Amino acid sequence: MIQFTNVKKTYDSNLTEALHDVSFVIEDGEFVFLVGPSGSGKSTILKLITAEERITSGGILVGDFDLGKLKKRKVPYLRRTLGIVFQDFRLIENRTVRGNLEFVMRVVNTSNKVIKERIPYVLDLVGLSDKADCYPNELSGGEQQRVAIARALVNNPSTIIADEPTGNLDPERSYELMCLLEKINQLGTTILIVTHERDLVNCFNKRVITIDNGYVTSDMENGLYDYETI
Amino acid sequence: MRRFNLFYYIKQGFHGAGSHGFMTFASIGIMACCLLIMGSFSLLAINLEHNLAALMAENEFLAYVDDSYDDQTAQTLESEITAIENVASCTFISREEALANYVGELEDTSLYADVPASALRARFSVQVHDIEQLQATLDEVEAIEGVVKINAALDVADGFVTMRNVMVIIALVMVVILIIVSFFIISNAIKLATSSREREIAIMKMVGATNSFVRWPFVVEGLILGLGSSLVAMLAQWGVYQLLVEAVSVYSHVQLINIIPFEALASTVAIAFCGIGLFVGVLGSVTTIRKFLLV
Ligand SMILES: Nc1ncnc2c1ncn2[C@@H]1O[C@H](COP(=O)(O)OP(=O)(O)O)[C@@H](O)[C@H]1O
Ligand SMILES: [Mg+2]
């Protein structure tokens, strides 16, 4: 569960008030699009969830973690419950697909036995079983992003958070990627996707939270991303 | 889990050191030079100190007694000389003993066969505690009524003390400067190591690596640089020292300088080098990666 209660966020560096008053609840197992124009505060919301940034006022609960009170040394344990995907993939270029996955499993002390079992399972899920020994630059953009999703998934997080995951992909690959995320959601993982691609959102008939200028302007089940409503 | 981690950190540390081999090589080389310079100055200072100690141990001067004193009256001066604080001991040498000593040192004694003992002065052989206060002691002894002349190797003693003091200061300054230089070398190498792995570190943090998990491989890498340098420096120091010993032994008939064999110093040098290597290695890497751990 992710719960925002009257969250306000002002960046210390330039005193920009990125979020004025944001409240919403995402229950376990949901699939949510977070949409809105550029600069509206979408990435800020994700950075608050991952504790990369701290709230100015209000409250955030992520699972068992109360982010207002979270101690610095507990942050790693919060992040282990989250899988994060970025627009620019952020793969390690000099490691193979398998190496990239193994790398993040080692970080959280996974045993060799579990690593050996888990990697083929996840690669199969994202449809890249035959690319395990390829390096990232040998893959297409869509394949690289699927590796990034596999990496987010491999430590078995309860939630996957993606910031414009289709930003670098053509419409067809973008659609495939969303289908993959939908499939992962059906297996029980909560999914929160930031995007401003209206057509894509409207294909999927999911919950849509719209942010504009630091406020939640609409929050609808089976919603549409429609500029006219803003 | 701990054992597995330790192994992982060490493996990662070596992997890091190996993956930018030239930088590792250069860092170890420069730092070993620093250690070698530090070590050479320190060993020089230690040897001077050693020679000074030897000089001190046998340090003595002669105080000649007024000609008009006979042996009986001359001996009364002994208590006055020993009363001076810095005087360790004081032995009376009569005219006859002095002549016998002097002639005894010569190969051809015939020349002196007819010299009367009265041609020499009676004297005291005086040993001092602290050679650095020799001049003051000499002045005090000379001021005693009945002592007419002093004969001391003051120049040699003075020269040695000054040289020793200068060397100790130079050695200390060198050690401080070169420790700072070494720190920056390690820090720079680790900075390079971290910047080439900036993305990996960011990913580690993103998926929930603890700070110590991120830090340890770099600390191991710093340790490898530090300890590698001390090993190289140790071998080089040994070689340099042996060359020096050989060079000095060419003039060894002078017997002025007495060099401590390297074997006697090896363990001290090894401990000092490893200590500095460890210290600088850990400190250099820990301070450098701090900024990466803030996110
Ligand atoms: N690190 C930062 N420091 C200062 N201001 C920031 C920072 N990140 C974002 N902002 C500002 O906060 C506002 C929201 O940004 P962001 O959350 O990135 O928007 P979005 O992801 O919806 O495009 C913008 O005005 C942006 O300039
Ligand atoms: Mg953004």
Side-chain angles (χ1 to χ4, degrees):
Chain A
M1 184 198 61
I2 298 173
Q3 181 182 339
F4 273 55
T5 315
N6 304 115
V7 172
K8 187 161 127 175
K9 169 65 186 175
T10 308
Y11 282 105
D12 295 332
S13 58
N14 55 4
L15 301 177
T16 310
E17 194 166 314
L19 301 179
H20 301 290
D21 182 6
V22 173
S23 301
F24 59 79
V25 181
I26 297 171
E27 297 292 349
D28 288 344
E30 278 197 86
F31 187 117
V32 179
F33 285 118
L34 186 61
V35 302
S38 181
S40 56
K42 306 182 297 297
S43 295
T44 301
I45 288 174
L46 297 194
K47 283 181 190 159
L48 290 174
I49 294 173
T50 60
E52 201 179 313
E53 294 287 345
R54 293 305 184 109
I55 49 176
T56 309
S57 69
I60 303 179
L61 284 175
V62 177
D64 300 330
F65 298 91
D66 180 346
L67 301 200
K69 298 195 204 120
L70 191 67
K71 294 213 171 59
K72 233 179 134 62
R73 60 188 174 78
K74 294 281 183 204
V75 170
Y77 303 97
L78 162 74
R79 292 189 184 153
R80 290 178 194 192
T81 69
L82 306 169
I84 308 168
V85 178
F86 298 96
Q87 178 173 352
D88 57 355
F89 320 139
R90 301 197 192 174
L91 301 176
I92 302 168
E93 298 296 331
N94 59 2
R95 289 178 200 259
T96 60
V97 169
R98 190 199 308 281
N100 269 275
L101 300 188
E102 195 179 321
F103 179 76
V104 299
M105 294 186 87
R106 295 246 177 255
V107 166
V108 295
N109 275 341
T110 316
S111 69
N112 285 332
K113 183 169 165 283
V114 175
I115 290 176
K116 284 217 169 65
E117 290 167 2
R118 181 82 179 154
I119 289 178
Y121 168 76
V122 174
L123 284 179
D124 181 51
L125 189 64
V126 301
L128 288 174
S129 295
D130 52 337
K131 304 282 186 188
D133 296 314
C134 294
Y135 286 88
N137 63 5
E138 297 166 346
L139 302 176
S140 71
E143 287 168 334
Q144 289 189 45
Q145 193 60 303
R146 279 190 277 151
V147 176
I149 288 173
R151 182 180 64 189
L153 205 58
V154 80
N155 285 335
N156 215 354
S158 58
T159 307
I160 285 190
I161 291 170
D163 196 349
E164 316 238 8
T166 58
N168 285 345
L169 306 180
D170 59 49
E172 208 168 315
R173 300 291 149 252
S174 298
Y175 184 79
E176 282 174 15
L177 198 84
M178 287 301 173
C179 292
L180 173 61
L181 287 167
E182 191 179 31
K183 183 166 108 189
I184 291 165
N185 176 242
Q186 279 156 9
L187 294 170
T189 309
T190 310
I191 307 267
L192 175 59
I193 300 170
V194 163
T195 183
H196 57 255
E197 287 176 63
R198 161 197 212 158
D199 296 340
L200 198 61
V201 172
N202 293 344
C203 281
F204 279 86
N205 224 17
K206 299 287 184 187
R207 179 177 168 193
V208 178
I209 301 176
T210 309
I211 305 288
D212 191 24
N213 195 23
Y215 292 99
V216 175
T217 54
S218 82
D219 182 351
M220 289 181 291
E221 291 299 332
N222 309 319
L224 291 178
Y225 179 13
D226 196 329
Y227 286 115
E228 273 89 58
T229 64
I230 296 170
Chain B
M1 279 304 180
R2 286 208 80 82
R3 276 176 65 93
F4 160 69
N5 263 348
L6 184 67
F7 179 69
Y8 174 85
Y9 297 144
I10 292 172
K11 199 176 129 197
Q12 289 297 310
F14 272 97
H15 179 80
S19 67
H20 30 87
F22 177 74
M23 192 62 193
T24 302
F25 182 76
S27 305
I28 288 182
I30 299 170
M31 205 181 141
C33 285
C34 287
L35 284 170
L36 186 62
I37 297 170
M38 261 186 236
S40 300
F41 275 96
S42 303
L43 289 178
L44 211 55
I46 288 171
N47 269 296
L48 282 173
E49 179 69 39
H50 170 71
N51 278 286
L52 192 62
L55 198 70
M56 276 166 144
E58 62 192 40
N59 193 259
E60 58 175 32
F61 63 87
L62 296 176
Y64 297 100
V65 181
D66 192 324
D67 272 336
S68 62
Y69 282 51
D70 61 21
D71 283 3
Q72 285 275 301
T73 40
Q75 280 189 57
T76 60
L77 297 174
E78 183 167 338
S79 60
E80 278 188 67
I81 296 172
T82 17
I84 295 167
E85 208 175 320
N86 193 29
V87 170
S89 64
C90 169
T91 328
F92 180 71
I93 302 168
S94 67
R95 292 180 170 98
E96 288 75 18
E97 284 165 341
L99 181 65
N101 285 348
Y102 189 50
V103 173
E105 283 176 16
L106 298 169
E107 281 169 21
D108 181 8
T109 57
S110 59
L111 257 174
Y112 292 87
D114 296 330
V115 175
S118 60
L120 293 173
R121 282 172 172 152
R123 70 220 33 206
F124 287 96
S125 162
V126 184
Q127 279 86 31
V128 293
H129 288 298
D130 181 1
I131 199 168
E132 294 197 43
Q133 288 169 33
L134 185 58
Q135 185 61 60
T137 311
L138 291 179
D139 291 344
E140 280 183 73
V141 172
E142 203 161 18
I144 294 172
E145 176 86 43
V147 174
V148 290
K149 191 171 168 264
I150 297 280
N151 182 357
L154 188 62
D155 292 349
V156 177
D158 252 6
F160 249 92
V161 171
T162 318
M163 200 149 98
R164 191 271 315 252
N165 289 346
V166 167
M167 280 314 300
V168 167
I169 291 168
I170 292 179
L172 283 178
V173 170
M174 281 290 175
V175 167
V176 171
I177 291 176
L178 294 172
I179 282 183
I180 294 172
V181 170
S182 308
F183 170 82
F184 279 105
I185 289 163
I186 296 259
S187 164
N188 193 48
I190 298 297
K191 201 177 286 172
L192 196 91
T194 46
S195 68
S196 74
R197 297 183 60 202
E198 219 161 335
R199 166 163 283 185
E200 286 184 35
I201 295 171
I203 292 167
M204 284 180 173
K205 294 293 291 176
M206 180 185 84
V207 299
T210 55
N211 279 349
S212 69
F213 186 90
V214 179
R215 191 186 294 124
W216 270 108
F218 295 105
V219 173
V220 171
E221 196 172 332
L223 277 179
I224 292 168
L225 295 180
L227 289 180
S229 314
S230 36
L231 193 73
V232 172
M234 180 74 196
L235 292 175
Q237 185 74 76
W238 189 17
V240 167
Y241 200 88
Q242 291 306 339
L243 284 178
L244 193 79
V245 170
E246 269 166 41
V248 171
S249 70
V250 172
Y251 305 99
S252 66
H253 56 277
V254 180
Q255 278 298 329
L256 191 64
I257 306 169
N258 176 4
I259 293 197
I260 310 172
F262 190 72
E263 290 70 35
L265 298 167
S267 61
T268 315
V269 173
I271 291 169
F273 280 8
C274 287
I276 294 174
L278 272 170
F279 174 74
V280 175
V282 171
L283 201 71
S285 51
V286 167
T287 53
T288 309
I289 59 172
R290 251 179 52 189
K291 70 173 171 108
F292 286 98
L293 301 176
L294 295 178
V295 184

